[in-house]
Amino acid sequence: MLNQPTIFQMVKNIPLPGDPLPSNSRFYIERPPIESDAYTELNNPGGLLRIKASSNMGKSSLMLRLIDQAMNQGYSIVTIDFKQADSEIFVSLNKFLRWFCINVARQLSLAPNLNDYWDEEIGSKISASIYFEGYLLEQIQSPLILVLNEVNYIFEHPQIAQDFLPLLRSWHEQAKQTEIWQNLRLVVIHSTEVYIPLNVNQSPFNVGLALKIPEFNGEQVTEFAQRNELNWFDSSAVEQLMQLVGGHPYLIHLGLYHLQQQKISFPELLATAISYNGIYSNHLRCLLTRLHSNSELSKAYDQIINSQQSTHISTNLIYKLDSLGLIKLECENIKPACEMYRLFFQKENLIGEINKNHYMRLQNLEQENEKLKLLVNVDTLTQVANRRYFDNRFQLEWTRMKKIQEPISLILADIDNFKLYNDTYGHQAGDDCLRQVTQAIASLIKRPGDLVARYGGEEFAVILPQTDATAAIIIAEDIRETVKSLRIKIPFLTKKVQETNITRVTISLGIACVIPLADFSLREFFEAADQALYQAKQLGRDRTILSSKFKFGYSEP
């Protein structure tokens, strides 16, 4: 069993999952010998580097490191991302190559002067080659690193790909004959294999250095967890996480990010991984949408996740599934990329009515699970958070405010004379009174980060992160006045009620506010709010009292 602490150590400036890591980021995990091999190839005259990996495997982060390395050596850098090109650019080869050449010139801060080198009589490919050799490479004094990102978008336009890709190969080979072409170093980045027919002697995908970015291994996952200061994340935790998501960098990062940010516990992460409220939900739903948009792709993947033996699937579909990161290719076997994908897509309706009943059963089961979770965290009578959830959330917000050094306010409230009311009019009337008071309090607490909880009996607690004492007093007084204005009707009067002069339900409140420091504990803070509530009761009830010890941000009127 994991020795997991209640409070996780938080790290400043932790990168968001999916964002490329800057070249100097300490969160970048090297996967030797990928990086060193890539640096070596870029130093070779006329070098050609091919980087392949599915979505979110770290291609962009590696690219940034290569660019930084090249800049440190004084090289010129141009990055072309084909995903950014308008669809009309792919209408013809001539239009595409002119767009391509102008983009390179602009990034080199050169006037395009394209018409001086372009001759439609000799064709756009030769014109582009003349433009590079006679103008672009002549104008720069250092090697040019030309990074071509998302080249797989070219594959979707065969009429362009069948001319442009061999052109890249010819530029690479000209470096063997012409010195000026040695200054051009190509980096070709793509997320799938080439699934269009290319002459083997003209393809750029069988020359140069090919690098396929691998998944993290166990040691690299451990190192990544340590860099996030999750020192409790031991080999057992690494093994459990990798059994679920494999070594996929994005899925690993997403899990560790939520653990480090205290948004979920590790057991809960594992238990809710494929549910609609789990941390992987958005990622899984996005993949599901992609599959549903292509019936052939859905059927192919359904075969993979439900078959115990190898199945025949067209090469084109395999490449597309691979580019999405949904599969692993192991010799002749095609498998789901990770166990989480298998479990999630097995319960989804990938192939229409065939799985509809099964899908509905699983969905109903998930809804029942959600109801069970509500029973654990929600007070049945008032339908706000219960004591258990309050304790966990209070600890979490205290730690978060301590880390960012922002104030936290706590309001403890108690319905005045509730025992007398309950004893006089009965438990049913008492329950109704509790529900009305709860609704009144909850109606005033509107921010997503705030929390209303029934702490016990007729006592309530309100957590207000990033709220100073002055603001907390305003909220508490609003609660007091709103409860008072309910004018909860007394069905009948007794002598005892008349003697105590009770005409309507009121509430007393105690407040504490502080920026958490090491000098005092969460328990001391809670006790200060409780003491303030006690003073409000002693001074006559129906009033708000601020703790004299913890009153950060309060200005005397």
Side-chain angles (χ1 to χ4, degrees):
M1 187 170 180
L2 292 175
N3 184 21
Q4 180 179 342
T6 305
I7 304 173
F8 305 140
Q9 185 86 16
M10 297 182 71
V11 181
K12 292 181 178 178
N13 302 321
I14 182 171
L16 293 173
D19 285 356
L21 298 175
S23 58
N24 61 348
S25 173
R26 68 187 184 90
F27 294 96
Y28 182 86
I29 301 296
E30 290 197 349
R31 284 166 269 187
I34 294 292
E35 291 79 10
S36 59
D37 287 351
Y39 299 150
T40 300
E41 181 64 20
L42 290 185
N43 286 326
N44 290 334
L48 192 156
L49 175 63
R50 294 179 284 119
I51 301 173
K52 175 187 174 294
S54 59
S55 179
N56 288 319
M57 282 291 290
K59 299 187 298 295
S60 297
S61 297
L62 176 59
M63 180 184 72
L64 292 177
R65 294 177 81 84
L66 295 178
I67 290 173
D68 184 67
Q69 179 81 1
M71 291 179 66
N72 289 337
Q73 294 181 245
Y75 293 176
S76 299
I77 309 293
V78 170
T79 302
I80 303 293
D81 190 331
F82 294 108
K83 186 168 60 176
Q84 297 177 349
D86 296 340
S87 57
E88 64 181 24
I89 296 300
F90 299 97
V91 169
S92 70
L93 181 66
N94 186 67
K95 190 176 186 68
F96 173 80
L97 287 177
R98 287 180 68 89
W99 169 86
F100 179 78
C101 291
I102 289 174
N103 266 279
V104 175
R106 294 291 189 194
Q107 290 191 46
L108 292 172
S109 300
L110 297 174
N113 296 336
L114 195 60
N115 292 331
D116 294 344
Y117 298 86
W118 214 264
D119 187 345
E120 293 186 4
E121 295 296 325
I122 62 175
S124 54
K125 286 197 292 184
I126 294 178
S127 294
S129 297
I130 292 173
Y131 183 71
F132 264 77
E133 182 176 346
Y135 181 56
L136 295 180
L137 296 176
E138 284 282 358
Q139 295 294 316
I140 58 178
Q141 305 301 316
S142 61
L144 168 62
I145 305 297
L146 180 54
V147 181
L148 306 179
N149 196 21
E150 301 286 359
V151 173
N152 40 286
Y153 275 78
I154 302 291
F155 304 162
E156 299 174 10
H157 303 275
Q159 78 282 6
I160 302 294
Q162 288 172 358
D163 283 312
F164 176 64
L165 297 176
L167 181 62
L168 297 179
R169 165 78 175 259
S170 72
W171 290 352
H172 168 67
E173 292 185 335
Q174 284 192 56
K176 302 173 184 176
Q177 307 167 15
T178 309
E179 185 176 354
I180 195 168
W181 281 100
Q182 294 179 4
N183 281 335
L184 179 63
R185 321 285 167 83
L186 294 170
V187 180
V188 178
I189 304 174
H190 55 110
S191 60
T192 184
E193 297 289 354
V194 185
Y195 53 83
I196 57 173
L198 289 175
N199 187 310
V200 68
N201 295 316
Q202 296 180 336
S203 171
F205 296 99
N206 53 12
V207 293
L209 176 66
L211 296 178
K212 183 173 182 179
I213 301 179
E215 292 189 335
F216 286 159
N217 58 34
E219 290 181 0
Q220 289 161 346
V221 174
T222 301
E223 176 67 19
F224 193 36
Q226 290 175 349
R227 294 188 188 186
N228 283 273
E229 297 191 14
L230 293 172
N231 297 323
W232 59 269
F233 204 78
D234 57 17
S235 58
S236 173
V238 170
E239 182 179 355
Q240 290 180 69
L241 184 58
M242 294 187 72
Q243 284 176 350
L244 179 69
V245 301
H248 194 293
Y250 171 71
L251 300 180
I252 294 291
H253 189 179
L254 190 61
L256 296 182
Y257 175 82
H258 280 79
L259 292 175
Q260 193 278 328
Q261 293 289 298
Q262 305 180 15
K263 296 184 177 182
I264 195 170
S265 68
F266 189 50
E268 187 179 359
L269 182 155
L270 297 175
T272 63
I274 64 170
S275 68
Y276 291 116
N277 65 342
I279 66 168
Y280 296 109
S281 174
N282 288 340
H283 174 72
L284 293 171
R285 300 300 295 178
C286 181
L287 290 174
L288 181 63
T289 300
R290 295 289 295 273
L291 288 174
H292 277 166
S293 67
N294 186 323
S295 59
E296 286 188 339
L297 211 58
S298 293
K299 291 176 182 177
Y301 199 55
D302 184 76
Q303 281 183 268
I304 293 170
I305 61 177
N306 289 301
S307 177
Q308 299 299 319
Q309 53 190 2
S310 60
T311 55
H312 177 70
I313 297 173
S314 72
T315 302
N316 190 20
L317 291 175
I318 290 174
Y319 287 159
K320 289 182 178 180
L321 290 170
D322 186 35
S323 71
L324 292 173
L326 284 168
I327 58 174
K328 282 182 179 179
L329 303 174
E330 298 178 355
C331 299
E332 297 298 320
N333 294 325
I334 308 169
K335 298 180 178 180
C338 63
E339 185 63 15
M340 180 174 71
Y341 288 172
R342 182 193 298 277
L343 294 172
F344 176 77
F345 290 107
Q346 278 181 340
K347 78 182 181 73
E348 290 301 326
N349 187 17
L350 287 182
I351 54 175
E353 294 296 323
I354 296 175
N355 287 332
K356 186 173 182 179
N357 292 334
H358 178 60
Y359 173 77
M360 291 301 296
R361 286 196 300 271
L362 290 171
Q363 198 171 45
N364 290 336
L365 180 61
E366 188 162 271
Q367 290 173 355
E368 291 301 317
N369 287 336
E370 289 299 315
K371 291 178 182 178
L372 288 173
K373 287 180 183 177
L374 286 176
L375 290 176
V376 172
N377 293 323
V378 175
D379 178 68
T380 307
L381 175 64
T382 61
Q383 293 300 297
V384 295
N386 59 17
R387 168 74 176 272
R388 172 180 173 172
Y389 187 77
F390 167 83
D391 288 341
N392 291 334
R393 182 68 176 275
F394 192 30
Q395 179 79 71
L396 181 66
E397 292 298 338
W398 176 266
T399 305
R400 191 166 70 90
M401 293 304 103
K402 186 175 183 179
K403 189 68 179 178
I404 65 176
Q405 283 297 282
E406 289 283 344
I408 181 172
S409 290
L410 175 66
I411 300 174
L412 295 182
D414 189 275
I415 300 176
D416 298 328
N417 297 302
F418 181 77
K419 186 177 184 304
L420 177 60
Y421 184 93
N422 205 41
D423 292 345
T424 303
Y425 304 117
H427 293 294
Q428 186 172 348
D431 288 350
D432 185 59
C433 175
L434 284 171
R435 280 190 287 264
Q436 290 187 63
V437 170
T438 303
Q439 290 171 10
I441 297 174
S443 69
L444 299 169
I445 308 302
K446 302 182 182 298
R447 296 188 309 178
D450 299 339
L451 179 76
V452 178
R454 184 184 179 194
Y455 193 73
E458 66 274 21
E459 191 170 1
F460 299 89
V462 181
I463 302 173
L464 300 170
Q466 295 178 289
T467 304
D468 64 18
T470 300
I473 289 174
I474 293 172
I475 293 171
E477 278 297 283
D478 283 346
I479 291 172
R480 188 180 67 81
E481 292 293 339
T482 302
V483 170
K484 197 171 184 178
S485 69
L486 291 175
R487 298 182 179 275
I488 297 174
K489 301 295 184 182
I490 298 177
F492 59 89
L493 296 176
T494 67
K495 183 178 180 181
K496 189 174 184 181
V497 174
Q498 289 173 329
E499 285 175 353
T500 53
N501 196 30
I502 299 174
T503 57
R504 55 186 167 179
V505 170
T506 59
I507 196 167
S508 299
L509 306 100
I511 305 172
C513 178
V514 74
I515 294 180
L517 298 170
D519 298 341
F520 43 82
S521 65
L522 177 65
R523 180 176 179 178
E524 289 177 270
F525 179 63
F526 181 90
E527 289 175 351
D530 194 46
Q531 181 62 32
L533 173 60
Y534 177 78
Q535 291 176 13
K537 292 285 190 182
Q538 292 297 106
L539 292 173
R541 302 182 177 85
D542 187 24
R543 67 194 63 220
T544 299
I545 296 293
L546 174 66
S547 167
S548 59
K549 182 178 180 181
F550 296 109
K551 54 179 181 179
F552 176 84
Y554 176 68
S555 300
E556 295 287 343

